[in-house]
Amino acid sequence: MGVRPGELWSRFDWATGSCFRCEQTNVPVAEVGEIAMAGTAFPLCACQRCVFRLEQLHWTMSERAARLRNAPAPGQPSPLGQWPTKAPLNRPPAHVA
């Protein structure tokens, strides 16, 4: 999976501030992005724990997207009145209680 916490944290410049994600204050935070509102961009800063969690989420979503890209296309649904074998039903299906 992804990178180790120390390796990940070394990629950022840290300063004391507030985490946008967990709302802790006076903790080491790093800028991880920005959000724009009314034409003004505001930096988004996250603490070390949240930076690590965001990296995990990014890795998970990237892996999921890769699996979906490589997954076979879903098959066509069978028409009503036919089993997946495509043999027509000569009788109504049995009632299952």
Side-chain angles (χ1 to χ4, degrees), residues 16-93:
T16 301
S18 300
C19 178
F20 87 96
R21 190 167 182 268
C22 69
E23 300 180 10
Q24 288 188 82
T25 58
N26 287 331
V27 294
V29 295
E31 189 172 332
V32 294
E34 62 182 32
I35 187 168
M37 187 168 82
T40 305
F42 299 96
L44 292 178
C45 296
C47 67
Q48 290 181 332
R49 185 176 181 177
C50 289
V51 165
F52 188 68
R53 182 64 183 129
L54 290 168
E55 172 69 16
Q56 289 175 321
L57 288 170
H58 173 76
W59 187 87
T60 300
M61 298 306 291
S62 298
E63 288 296 309
R64 186 175 295 156
R67 282 194 307 272
L68 287 174
R69 280 193 303 272
N70 295 328
Q76 292 293 323
S78 299
L80 293 178
Q82 287 190 345
W83 293 104
T85 61
K86 301 206 184 298
L89 292 177
N90 295 329
R91 58 180 171 68

